[in-house]
PDB file of all heavy atoms in Angstrom:
ATOM      1  N   LEU A   1     120.079  95.967 113.305  1.00  0.00           N
ATOM      2  CA  LEU A   1     119.030  95.659 114.275  1.00  0.00           C
ATOM      3  C   LEU A   1     117.998  96.773 114.347  1.00  0.00           C
ATOM      4  O   LEU A   1     116.789  96.519 114.320  1.00  0.00           O
ATOM      5  CB  LEU A   1     119.647  95.427 115.661  1.00  0.00           C
ATOM      6  CG  LEU A   1     118.649  95.196 116.806  1.00  0.00           C
ATOM      7  CD1 LEU A   1     117.802  93.958 116.535  1.00  0.00           C
ATOM      8  CD2 LEU A   1     119.378  95.063 118.134  1.00  0.00           C
ATOM      9  N   LYS A   2     118.444  98.027 114.433  1.00  0.00           N
ATOM     10  CA  LYS A   2     117.521  99.154 114.545  1.00  0.00           C
ATOM     11  C   LYS A   2     116.592  99.216 113.337  1.00  0.00           C
ATOM     12  O   LYS A   2     115.375  99.369 113.469  1.00  0.00           O
ATOM     13  CB  LYS A   2     118.303 100.461 114.667  1.00  0.00           C
ATOM     14  CG  LYS A   2     117.433 101.723 114.737  1.00  0.00           C
ATOM     15  CD  LYS A   2     118.313 102.950 114.973  1.00  0.00           C
ATOM     16  CE  LYS A   2     117.466 104.215 115.041  1.00  0.00           C
ATOM     17  NZ  LYS A   2     116.925 104.577 113.716  1.00  0.00           N
ATOM     18  N   GLN A   3     117.160  99.062 112.134  1.00  0.00           N
ATOM     19  CA  GLN A   3     116.345  99.131 110.925  1.00  0.00           C
ATOM     20  C   GLN A   3     115.354  97.983 110.849  1.00  0.00           C
ATOM     21  O   GLN A   3     114.210  98.161 110.424  1.00  0.00           O
ATOM     22  CB  GLN A   3     117.245  99.146 109.681  1.00  0.00           C
ATOM     23  CG  GLN A   3     118.081 100.418 109.544  1.00  0.00           C
ATOM     24  CD  GLN A   3     119.422 100.317 110.252  1.00  0.00           C
ATOM     25  OE1 GLN A   3     119.592  99.507 111.170  1.00  0.00           O
ATOM     26  NE2 GLN A   3     120.379 101.143 109.843  1.00  0.00           N
ATOM     27  N   CYS A   4     115.773  96.791 111.267  1.00  0.00           N
ATOM     28  CA  CYS A   4     114.873  95.642 111.236  1.00  0.00           C
ATOM     29  C   CYS A   4     113.712  95.826 112.200  1.00  0.00           C
ATOM     30  O   CYS A   4     112.560  95.511 111.884  1.00  0.00           O
ATOM     31  CB  CYS A   4     115.625  94.356 111.578  1.00  0.00           C
ATOM     32  SG  CYS A   4     116.819  93.837 110.317  1.00  0.00           S
ATOM     33  N   LEU A   5     114.010  96.361 113.394  1.00  0.00           N
ATOM     34  CA  LEU A   5     112.959  96.608 114.366  1.00  0.00           C
ATOM     35  C   LEU A   5     111.979  97.654 113.852  1.00  0.00           C
ATOM     36  O   LEU A   5     110.767  97.531 114.028  1.00  0.00           O
ATOM     37  CB  LEU A   5     113.569  97.059 115.696  1.00  0.00           C
ATOM     38  CG  LEU A   5     114.358  96.000 116.465  1.00  0.00           C
ATOM     39  CD1 LEU A   5     115.015  96.617 117.699  1.00  0.00           C
ATOM     40  CD2 LEU A   5     113.453  94.843 116.876  1.00  0.00           C
ATOM     41  N   GLU A   6     112.501  98.691 113.196  1.00  0.00           N
ATOM     42  CA  GLU A   6     111.621  99.728 112.650  1.00  0.00           C
ATOM     43  C   GLU A   6     110.733  99.172 111.557  1.00  0.00           C
ATOM     44  O   GLU A   6     109.554  99.537 111.431  1.00  0.00           O
ATOM     45  CB  GLU A   6     112.465 100.895 112.120  1.00  0.00           C
ATOM     46  CG  GLU A   6     113.120 101.707 113.214  1.00  0.00           C
ATOM     47  CD  GLU A   6     114.031 102.795 112.679  1.00  0.00           C
ATOM     48  OE1 GLU A   6     114.319 102.758 111.461  1.00  0.00           O
ATOM     49  OE2 GLU A   6     114.443 103.676 113.453  1.00  0.00           O
ATOM     50  N   THR A   7     111.276  98.276 110.746  1.00  0.00           N
ATOM     51  CA  THR A   7     110.481  97.652 109.688  1.00  0.00           C
ATOM     52  C   THR A   7     109.357  96.820 110.279  1.00  0.00           C
ATOM     53  O   THR A   7     108.227  96.838 109.792  1.00  0.00           O
ATOM     54  CB  THR A   7     111.381  96.767 108.806  1.00  0.00           C
ATOM     55  OG1 THR A   7     112.386  97.570 108.214  1.00  0.00           O
ATOM     56  CG2 THR A   7     110.563  96.108 107.705  1.00  0.00           C
ATOM     57  N   ASN A   8     109.656  96.096 111.352  1.00  0.00           N
ATOM     58  CA  ASN A   8     108.617  95.292 112.007  1.00  0.00           C
ATOM     59  C   ASN A   8     107.528  96.164 112.595  1.00  0.00           C
ATOM     60  O   ASN A   8     106.347  95.809 112.581  1.00  0.00           O
ATOM     61  CB  ASN A   8     109.235  94.416 113.095  1.00  0.00           C
ATOM     62  CG  ASN A   8     110.052  93.284 112.525  1.00  0.00           C
ATOM     63  OD1 ASN A   8     109.796  92.850 111.403  1.00  0.00           O
ATOM     64  ND2 ASN A   8     111.035  92.807 113.275  1.00  0.00           N
ATOM     65  N   ILE A   9     107.902  97.352 113.123  1.00  0.00           N
ATOM     66  CA  ILE A   9     106.908  98.283 113.644  1.00  0.00           C
ATOM     67  C   ILE A   9     105.986  98.743 112.529  1.00  0.00           C
ATOM     68  O   ILE A   9     104.769  98.800 112.666  1.00  0.00           O
ATOM     69  CB  ILE A   9     107.603  99.501 114.304  1.00  0.00           C
ATOM     70  CG1 ILE A   9     108.304  99.070 115.584  1.00  0.00           C
ATOM     71  CG2 ILE A   9     106.586 100.595 114.599  1.00  0.00           C
ATOM     72  CD1 ILE A   9     109.153 100.156 116.217  1.00  0.00           C
ATOM     73  N   THR A  10     106.569  99.059 111.373  1.00  0.00           N
ATOM     74  CA  THR A  10     105.767  99.492 110.235  1.00  0.00           C
ATOM     75  C   THR A  10     104.764  98.419 109.848  1.00  0.00           C
ATOM     76  O   THR A  10     103.589  98.692 109.612  1.00  0.00           O
ATOM     77  CB  THR A  10     106.684  99.793 109.030  1.00  0.00           C
ATOM     78  OG1 THR A  10     107.608 100.811 109.395  1.00  0.00           O
ATOM     79  CG2 THR A  10     105.865 100.272 107.833  1.00  0.00           C
ATOM     80  N   ARG A  11     105.218  97.181 109.783  1.00  0.00           N
ATOM     81  CA  ARG A  11     104.331  96.095 109.367  1.00  0.00           C
ATOM     82  C   ARG A  11     103.219  95.876 110.377  1.00  0.00           C
ATOM     83  O   ARG A  11     102.089  95.567 110.025  1.00  0.00           O
ATOM     84  CB  ARG A  11     105.135  94.816 109.169  1.00  0.00           C
ATOM     85  CG  ARG A  11     106.029  94.887 107.942  1.00  0.00           C
ATOM     86  CD  ARG A  11     106.750  93.583 107.712  1.00  0.00           C
ATOM     87  NE  ARG A  11     107.430  93.597 106.435  1.00  0.00           N
ATOM     88  CZ  ARG A  11     108.147  92.586 105.969  1.00  0.00           C
ATOM     89  NH1 ARG A  11     108.271  91.483 106.676  1.00  0.00           N
ATOM     90  NH2 ARG A  11     108.731  92.660 104.796  1.00  0.00           N
ATOM     91  N   SER A  12     103.551  96.026 111.684  1.00  0.00           N
ATOM     92  CA  SER A  12     102.539  95.791 112.711  1.00  0.00           C
ATOM     93  C   SER A  12     101.436  96.835 112.645  1.00  0.00           C
ATOM     94  O   SER A  12     100.337  96.606 113.131  1.00  0.00           O
ATOM     95  CB  SER A  12     103.194  95.796 114.095  1.00  0.00           C
ATOM     96  OG  SER A  12     103.673  97.082 114.430  1.00  0.00           O
ATOM     97  N   ARG A  13     101.725  97.990 112.056  1.00  0.00           N
ATOM     98  CA  ARG A  13     100.737  99.059 111.964  1.00  0.00           C
ATOM     99  C   ARG A  13      99.911  98.996 110.687  1.00  0.00           C
ATOM    100  O   ARG A  13      99.015  99.802 110.487  1.00  0.00           O
ATOM    101  CB  ARG A  13     101.450 100.426 112.042  1.00  0.00           C
ATOM    102  CG  ARG A  13     102.085 100.689 113.406  1.00  0.00           C
ATOM    103  CD  ARG A  13     102.784 102.034 113.423  1.00  0.00           C
ATOM    104  NE  ARG A  13     103.379 102.301 114.725  1.00  0.00           N
ATOM    105  CZ  ARG A  13     104.117 103.381 114.997  1.00  0.00           C
ATOM    106  NH1 ARG A  13     104.345 104.273 114.048  1.00  0.00           N
ATOM    107  NH2 ARG A  13     104.618 103.556 116.201  1.00  0.00           N
ATOM    108  N   GLN A  14     100.237  98.080 109.819  1.00  0.00           N
ATOM    109  CA  GLN A  14      99.478  97.962 108.586  1.00  0.00           C
ATOM    110  C   GLN A  14      98.045  97.548 108.892  1.00  0.00           C
ATOM    111  O   GLN A  14      97.795  96.684 109.728  1.00  0.00           O
ATOM    112  CB  GLN A  14     100.126  96.950 107.651  1.00  0.00           C
ATOM    113  CG  GLN A  14     101.418  97.456 107.033  1.00  0.00           C
ATOM    114  CD  GLN A  14     102.038  96.427 106.116  1.00  0.00           C
ATOM    115  OE1 GLN A  14     101.674  95.255 106.141  1.00  0.00           O
ATOM    116  NE2 GLN A  14     102.981  96.845 105.305  1.00  0.00           N
ATOM    117  N   GLU A  15      97.115  98.184 108.205  1.00  0.00           N
ATOM    118  CA  GLU A  15      95.704  97.960 108.459  1.00  0.00           C
ATOM    119  C   GLU A  15      95.003  97.276 107.297  1.00  0.00           C
ATOM    120  O   GLU A  15      93.792  97.131 107.310  1.00  0.00           O
ATOM    121  CB  GLU A  15      95.021  99.297 108.759  1.00  0.00           C
ATOM    122  CG  GLU A  15      95.610 100.007 109.977  1.00  0.00           C
ATOM    123  CD  GLU A  15      95.024 101.388 110.190  1.00  0.00           C
ATOM    124  OE1 GLU A  15      94.112 101.760 109.406  1.00  0.00           O
ATOM    125  OE2 GLU A  15      95.459 102.088 111.110  1.00  0.00           O
ATOM    126  N   ALA A  16      95.728  96.882 106.295  1.00  0.00           N
ATOM    127  CA  ALA A  16      95.109  96.272 105.121  1.00  0.00           C
ATOM    128  C   ALA A  16      95.997  95.166 104.573  1.00  0.00           C
ATOM    129  O   ALA A  16      97.210  95.150 104.802  1.00  0.00           O
ATOM    130  CB  ALA A  16      94.863  97.335 104.036  1.00  0.00           C
ATOM    131  N   ALA A  17      95.380  94.249 103.863  1.00  0.00           N
ATOM    132  CA  ALA A  17      96.131  93.164 103.229  1.00  0.00           C
ATOM    133  C   ALA A  17      96.973  93.723 102.090  1.00  0.00           C
ATOM    134  O   ALA A  17      96.599  94.703 101.442  1.00  0.00           O
ATOM    135  CB  ALA A  17      95.167  92.115 102.702  1.00  0.00           C
ATOM    136  N   PRO A  18      98.124  93.110 101.824  1.00  0.00           N
ATOM    137  CA  PRO A  18      98.943  93.576 100.706  1.00  0.00           C
ATOM    138  C   PRO A  18      98.256  93.322  99.372  1.00  0.00           C
ATOM    139  O   PRO A  18      97.407  92.435  99.255  1.00  0.00           O
ATOM    140  CB  PRO A  18     100.220  92.745 100.836  1.00  0.00           C
ATOM    141  CG  PRO A  18      99.797  91.515 101.573  1.00  0.00           C
ATOM    142  CD  PRO A  18      98.718  91.948 102.508  1.00  0.00           C
ATOM    143  N   VAL A  19      98.613  94.094  98.384  1.00  0.00           N
ATOM    144  CA  VAL A  19      98.135  93.867  97.024  1.00  0.00           C
ATOM    145  C   VAL A  19      98.861  92.649  96.469  1.00  0.00           C
ATOM    146  O   VAL A  19     100.096  92.594  96.502  1.00  0.00           O
ATOM    147  CB  VAL A  19      98.395  95.097  96.127  1.00  0.00           C
ATOM    148  CG1 VAL A  19      97.951  94.831  94.698  1.00  0.00           C
ATOM    149  CG2 VAL A  19      97.698  96.326  96.696  1.00  0.00           C
ATOM    150  N   GLU A  20      98.121  91.675  95.994  1.00  0.00           N
ATOM    151  CA  GLU A  20      98.710  90.437  95.499  1.00  0.00           C
ATOM    152  C   GLU A  20      98.945  90.526  93.995  1.00  0.00           C
ATOM    153  O   GLU A  20      98.012  90.692  93.224  1.00  0.00           O
ATOM    154  CB  GLU A  20      97.797  89.253  95.822  1.00  0.00           C
ATOM    155  CG  GLU A  20      97.608  89.033  97.317  1.00  0.00           C
ATOM    156  CD  GLU A  20      96.709  87.850  97.615  1.00  0.00           C
ATOM    157  OE1 GLU A  20      96.271  87.182  96.643  1.00  0.00           O
ATOM    158  OE2 GLU A  20      96.439  87.601  98.802  1.00  0.00           O
ATOM    159  N   VAL A  21     100.198  90.410  93.611  1.00  0.00           N
ATOM    160  CA  VAL A  21     100.592  90.484  92.205  1.00  0.00           C
ATOM    161  C   VAL A  21     101.089  89.112  91.760  1.00  0.00           C
ATOM    162  O   VAL A  21     102.019  88.563  92.357  1.00  0.00           O
ATOM    163  CB  VAL A  21     101.696  91.540  91.989  1.00  0.00           C
ATOM    164  CG1 VAL A  21     102.125  91.572  90.519  1.00  0.00           C
ATOM    165  CG2 VAL A  21     101.220  92.908  92.453  1.00  0.00           C
ATOM    166  N   GLY A  22     100.469  88.552  90.751  1.00  0.00           N
ATOM    167  CA  GLY A  22     100.903  87.284  90.191  1.00  0.00           C
ATOM    168  C   GLY A  22     101.507  87.495  88.814  1.00  0.00           C
ATOM    169  O   GLY A  22     100.942  88.231  87.995  1.00  0.00           O
ATOM    170  N   LEU A  23     102.649  86.876  88.567  1.00  0.00           N
ATOM    171  CA  LEU A  23     103.279  86.960  87.249  1.00  0.00           C
ATOM    172  C   LEU A  23     103.438  85.559  86.687  1.00  0.00           C
ATOM    173  O   LEU A  23     104.158  84.728  87.245  1.00  0.00           O
ATOM    174  CB  LEU A  23     104.644  87.643  87.329  1.00  0.00           C
ATOM    175  CG  LEU A  23     105.417  87.690  86.005  1.00  0.00           C
ATOM    176  CD1 LEU A  23     104.657  88.517  84.959  1.00  0.00           C
ATOM    177  CD2 LEU A  23     106.828  88.240  86.203  1.00  0.00           C
ATOM    178  N   TYR A  24     102.777  85.314  85.577  1.00  0.00           N
ATOM    179  CA  TYR A  24     102.886  84.054  84.844  1.00  0.00           C
ATOM    180  C   TYR A  24     103.776  84.343  83.648  1.00  0.00           C
ATOM    181  O   TYR A  24     103.440  85.177  82.791  1.00  0.00           O
ATOM    182  CB  TYR A  24     101.492  83.559  84.433  1.00  0.00           C
ATOM    183  CG  TYR A  24     100.635  83.220  85.629  1.00  0.00           C
ATOM    184  CD1 TYR A  24     100.022  84.223  86.375  1.00  0.00           C
ATOM    185  CD2 TYR A  24     100.456  81.898  86.031  1.00  0.00           C
ATOM    186  CE1 TYR A  24      99.254  83.920  87.497  1.00  0.00           C
ATOM    187  CE2 TYR A  24      99.687  81.582  87.142  1.00  0.00           C
ATOM    188  CZ  TYR A  24      99.090  82.604  87.872  1.00  0.00           C
ATOM    189  OH  TYR A  24      98.335  82.294  88.976  1.00  0.00           O
ATOM    190  N   TYR A  25     104.914  83.649  83.564  1.00  0.00           N
ATOM    191  CA  TYR A  25     105.939  84.063  82.613  1.00  0.00           C
ATOM    192  C   TYR A  25     106.771  82.880  82.157  1.00  0.00           C
ATOM    193  O   TYR A  25     106.594  81.738  82.611  1.00  0.00           O
ATOM    194  CB  TYR A  25     106.828  85.132  83.251  1.00  0.00           C
ATOM    195  CG  TYR A  25     107.766  84.605  84.323  1.00  0.00           C
ATOM    196  CD1 TYR A  25     109.125  84.447  84.067  1.00  0.00           C
ATOM    197  CD2 TYR A  25     107.298  84.282  85.598  1.00  0.00           C
ATOM    198  CE1 TYR A  25     109.991  83.965  85.043  1.00  0.00           C
ATOM    199  CE2 TYR A  25     108.155  83.813  86.581  1.00  0.00           C
ATOM    200  CZ  TYR A  25     109.504  83.651  86.302  1.00  0.00           C
ATOM    201  OH  TYR A  25     110.358  83.177  87.262  1.00  0.00           O
ATOM    202  N   GLU A  26     107.710  83.167  81.261  1.00  0.00           N
ATOM    203  CA  GLU A  26     108.688  82.196  80.776  1.00  0.00           C
ATOM    204  C   GLU A  26     110.076  82.782  80.948  1.00  0.00           C
ATOM    205  O   GLU A  26     110.284  83.981  80.730  1.00  0.00           O
ATOM    206  CB  GLU A  26     108.444  81.878  79.302  1.00  0.00           C
ATOM    207  CG  GLU A  26     107.079  81.306  78.996  1.00  0.00           C
ATOM    208  CD  GLU A  26     106.744  81.327  77.506  1.00  0.00           C
ATOM    209  OE1 GLU A  26     107.455  82.018  76.732  1.00  0.00           O
ATOM    210  OE2 GLU A  26     105.773  80.651  77.129  1.00  0.00           O
TER     211      GLU A  26
END
């Protein structure tokens, strides 16, 4: 629980969109 809450805090402080990586593969 503690780690999950800390992760959510980190995400809430993000100020930019994530880098989008697309992989087209077989």
Side-chain angles (χ1 to χ4, degrees):
L1 176 61
K2 178 175 180 289
Q3 293 89 338
C4 291
L5 291 175
E6 289 176 348
T7 300
N8 288 334
I9 291 173
T10 301
R11 289 184 171 180
S12 67
R13 293 179 179 176
Q14 288 180 345
E15 300 174 3
V19 178
E20 297 180 2
V21 178
L23 176 63
Y24 296 78
Y25 72 105
E26 301 166 346

